[in-house]
Amino acid sequence: MLLAIQNLLCDYRNNPIGIDTKKPTFSWEIISDKVNVYQEQFNIQVSLTQTFNQIIWNKKTFSDNSINVTYEGPSLESFKKYYYRVKIWTNLEEASEWSDTGSFEMGILDTNLWMADWITPERRDIELDFGTRQPFSCYKDFILNTKIKKAIVYVSSLGLYELALNGKKVGDDYLTPGWTDYNNCIQYQTYDVTDYISEQNRIEAVISEGWYSGYLGWQKGKDSYGNTNALIAQLHLYYIDGTSEIIGTDNKWMEQTTTIKMADIYNGSICDFQTKIQDKKNMVSYAFPKDGLTAQQNEPVKKIEEIRPKKLFKTPNGEVVLDMGQNMVGWVKIKNSPKLKTTLKLTHAEVLDKEGNFYIGNLRHAAQQSIYYGTEKTLEDLEPHFTFYGFRYVRLEGFPEDIDISWFKGIVVHSAMEEIGLFETSNPQINQLQSNIRWGQKGNFVDVPTDCPQRDERLGWTADAQVFSRTASYIMNTNLFFRKWLADMRFNQMEDGSIPLVVPDVIKGQYFLTEEGNKVLKTASAWGDAIIICPWMVFLTYGDTRILEDNYEAMKKWINFILIQGEEPYLWDSSVQLGDWLALDHKEDSLFGATDESLVATAFYAYSADILSKIAKLLYKYDDFCYYSELFEKIKMRFQEVFIQNGELVSQTQTAHILALYFELVPEQSKVQFSNTLVELIQKKNNHLDTGFVGTPYICHVLSENNCHELALKLLHNNDYPSWLYQIERGATTMWEHWDGIKEDGTFWSDSMNSFNHYSYGAVGDWMYKYIGGISIDEAGFKKSRIAPVISKDFSYVKSSIKTMYGLLGCSWKTNGNQVSMEVQVPHNTSSTIRIKSVENTDSVISVIRSNYEVMDLSVQEDDIYITVGSGLYRFEYTINKL
């Protein structure tokens, strides 16, 4: 008999240190060699010691909850380490042994415990070419006279920092302390540096402008949060004799020169190894508040993988170019400095032009360059600092004729979220599409969900993240990532309840619509609705109500903003909108779609009100539940009165019909008519879509839900313009911002806005998991799942899985003629309803199921078999009557 607990997590992390959640949550997975295993009881203990002889919290209760169990013990204390373990009892009358011991260590819970000062240099030099403040470096030496037991450092900066102890980089995080709205909170990181310490020590740091004061936005804005970069660090030394000491930043730290002469998010990095490292002046204290210092909220940015370049070649213009084979985000490392007296310059770009030459037009003002002087003076590998690039191609300047491709490696960086989704089919192009979606997420989930990683923008556009949030949450565990970003969204929410277009809001609620006569836009439907839709999608995937609780009041403020913004409380028709952004149903190369903007706005108003009513019910806010349920019905009624005329939508566009159907805004008796009209509109486009940012995420869902799945598959498999696979035919390895980023004649969309790494149209990914892979959610967190793949002749096999909080949920199927083999894996402590569709001989299949498996429920609807099962591995062989 095997029954065990594995994958203990505290606040979604394995043995975290430096957390400041006063009531962390615990989750665990159940391992068993039995089927239909459910937890009926659990016992969790938290102790001050690994031997559990000082237990401070002991909870034993009848419950099937094995995820997001909230700590309910005494108040946790700063700097203390706690240990926890779990034991369970199951429905099979089995008890597990105690799990392996997990741990968590608290950070600084009280601002008064920051003994260190913010420090900064007396003056800063300006790098003339780019107009940036040069990074500064500082250090402190200290000697230990007693043996060390443990050493923990807490560190943050106004800007970006790199910390080292005795010449070794501390931790494996990059772009720390991360990007938050620094007016609200500044993250600090915590590192165990016990193994770094020796008798004589030097702690040192380099600080650059980063997001704090560097260039942000396309208008060359600087100093978004301030014009003074500073460091704060606090090293706690615990000695074996029981004493302790704190070494913190103060005016005794010494500034020194640094080889890093320029570092900027957009422009890149300049290093001069000819620089003589020498002391300058003592640092000075900087009077900046500490009350915004907050422990790391999400997974930090890390080096995730390395890529070897595919090709080194010369363009028709004679430029030496490196092809990484993948549009990626990060930088290029030059292994073992080539010791050249020439200046080395690496310029990064996404695509080549139609003649095959290096193309940087779409970067706008972002230089994206790594520049190195005096490499003959160093032995180290060459890497840029405090920046990242979006690129596939790298122009190399200053290198010798015998340059070798083996000198280079691509370093991929992004927020270190766990990858949890798998989707694979027999069609290589569909697999490439899934890869493009995944790489789009990698490249744009760099601490905040950005719109693009290459041009002078890279901002947290709210609609982009909103439409992609469900797909993103299937591919990677995004819970902490979105929780951190949404905290800034709450802070940036304006007094009237509106949500800015980008978060963190560096454009200060001001976006100029040049196509609309230079009108200023501060918020928009679909964009502002991120405050409701993103938490909802994350909750559904991971089952953690905290993300709903944290954002609930902000959600209500957003809905109230819409309610009172005009004369019509149940319409949103009083302001300029972005509508179905970049749709193809308007004039060529327009930013705006043809769908009535008020229709789009009112549709999302209704959708958000409907979601909010569900959230209110989940949080036991029954008055609110009744209020928002009624509000949804009133908006729906007004939508029908205004936007449905003579039985038709006023906008005869694909997107209008998609939103009306997906958000359930059409009369029940008219759904077939409206779905038929949608089909006709698609057929008029020769079975192609013409949707933009708000219509595309739902188009295949609407078709599949309204008995038009074959047309949804047709849209998916189209490889001519406009389509998802058109991009792949053009060599795309990430998602594009425009359907026609590269036009059919090989020319580009306007340089003004043409990213080739932009995940919004990758929102089709969750539909692929649901209808092709067959996996969807029946109860939040996949406590209950639904397995219902639509078997199609378009694929000979499909494999899909999601690592849920309970364990691996998977579905794979393959066909041989009309014979179907399907395999389903359901994790312990969950159940799943499996649909076996279009079965030729239901009786014989049911007989086999009953003889092989213990099912909780079984029913037949026409020739579809539905079974509800507990955990286990299930295999089905049957003949399909409609393929």
Coordinates of all heavy atoms in Angstrom, one line a residue, residues 22-26 46 56-57 69-76 82 104:
K22 N 1.2 37.3 6.6 CA 1.0 37.0 8.0 C 0.2 35.7 8.2 O 0.2 35.1 9.3 CB 0.3 38.2 8.7 CG 1.3 39.4 8.7 CD 0.6 40.6 9.4 CE 1.6 41.8 9.4 NZ 1.0 43.0 10.0
K23 N -0.6 35.3 7.2 CA -1.3 34.1 7.2 C -1.1 33.3 5.9 O -1.9 33.3 5.0 CB -2.8 34.3 7.5 CG -3.2 34.9 8.8 CD -4.7 34.9 9.1 CE -5.0 35.3 10.5 NZ -6.5 35.3 10.8
P24 N 0.1 32.7 5.8 CA 0.4 31.9 4.6 C -0.6 30.7 4.4 O -1.2 30.3 5.4 CB 1.8 31.5 4.8 CG 2.0 31.5 6.3 CD 1.1 32.6 6.8
T25 N -0.6 30.2 3.2 CA -1.4 29.0 2.9 C -0.5 27.9 2.6 O 0.7 28.0 2.2 CB -2.4 29.3 1.8 OG1 -1.6 29.5 0.6 CG2 -3.3 30.4 2.0
F26 N -1.0 26.7 2.8 CA -0.3 25.4 2.6 C -1.1 24.5 1.6 O -2.3 24.5 1.6 CB -0.1 24.7 3.9 CG 0.6 25.5 4.9 CD1 -0.2 26.1 5.9 CD2 2.0 25.7 4.9 CE1 0.4 26.9 6.9 CE2 2.6 26.5 5.9 CZ 1.8 27.1 6.9
V46 N 2.6 23.1 12.6 CA 3.7 24.1 12.4 C 4.5 24.2 13.7 O 3.9 24.3 14.8 CB 3.1 25.5 12.0 CG1 4.2 26.5 11.9 CG2 2.4 25.4 10.7
I56 N 3.5 25.1 17.4 CA 2.7 26.3 17.7 C 1.3 26.3 17.1 O 0.4 27.1 17.4 CB 3.4 27.6 17.3 CG1 3.6 27.6 15.7 CG2 4.8 27.7 18.0 CD1 4.1 28.9 15.2
W57 N 1.1 25.4 16.1 CA -0.2 25.2 15.5 C -0.4 23.8 15.1 O 0.4 23.2 14.4 CB -0.3 26.1 14.3 CG -1.7 26.1 13.7 CD1 -2.9 26.3 14.3 CD2 -2.0 25.9 12.3 NE1 -3.9 26.2 13.4 CE2 -3.4 26.0 12.1 CE3 -1.2 25.7 11.1 CZ2 -4.1 25.9 10.9 CZ3 -1.9 25.6 9.9 CH2 -3.3 25.7 9.8
V69 N -4.7 25.9 2.3 CA -5.1 25.8 3.7 C -4.5 26.9 4.5 O -3.2 27.0 4.5 CB -4.7 24.4 4.3 CG1 -5.1 24.4 5.8 CG2 -5.5 23.3 3.6
T70 N -5.3 27.8 5.1 CA -4.7 29.0 5.7 C -4.2 28.7 7.1 O -4.9 28.1 7.9 CB -5.9 30.1 5.7 OG1 -6.3 30.3 4.4 CG2 -5.3 31.4 6.3
Y71 N -3.1 29.3 7.4 CA -2.5 29.2 8.7 C -3.4 30.0 9.7 O -3.8 31.1 9.4 CB -1.1 29.9 8.7 CG -0.4 30.0 10.0 CD1 0.1 28.9 10.7 CD2 -0.4 31.2 10.7 CE1 0.7 29.0 11.9 CE2 0.2 31.4 11.9 CZ 0.7 30.2 12.6 OH 1.3 30.4 13.8
E72 N -3.6 29.3 10.8 CA -4.5 29.9 11.8 C -3.9 30.0 13.2 O -4.6 30.1 14.2 CB -5.9 29.2 11.9 CG -6.6 29.2 10.6 CD -7.8 28.2 10.6 OE1 -7.8 27.3 11.4 OE2 -8.6 28.3 9.7
G73 N -2.6 29.8 13.3 CA -1.9 29.8 14.6 C -1.6 31.2 15.1 O -2.1 32.2 14.6
P74 N -0.7 31.2 16.1 CA -0.3 32.5 16.7 C 0.4 33.4 15.7 O 0.9 32.9 14.7 CB 0.6 32.1 17.8 CG 0.6 30.6 17.9 CD -0.1 30.1 16.8
S75 N 0.5 34.6 16.0 CA 1.2 35.6 15.1 C 2.6 35.1 14.8 O 3.3 34.7 15.7 CB 1.2 37.0 15.7 OG -0.1 37.5 15.8
L76 N 3.0 35.2 13.5 CA 4.3 34.8 13.1 C 5.2 36.0 13.3 O 4.8 37.2 13.2 CB 4.3 34.4 11.6 CG 3.4 33.2 11.3 CD1 3.2 33.0 9.8 CD2 3.9 31.9 11.9
Y82 N 10.1 28.6 10.5 CA 9.1 27.6 11.0 C 9.1 26.4 10.1 O 9.4 26.4 8.9 CB 7.7 28.3 10.9 CG 7.5 29.5 11.7 CD1 7.9 30.8 11.2 CD2 7.1 29.4 13.0 CE1 7.8 31.9 12.0 CE2 6.9 30.6 13.8 CZ 7.3 31.8 13.3 OH 7.1 32.9 14.1
F104 N 9.3 27.5 6.2 CA 9.2 28.8 5.7 C 9.8 29.7 6.7 O 9.8 29.5 7.9 CB 7.7 29.2 5.4 CG 6.8 29.2 6.6 CD1 6.5 30.3 7.3 CD2 6.2 28.0 7.0 CE1 5.6 30.3 8.3 CE2 5.3 27.9 8.1 CZ 5.0 29.1 8.8

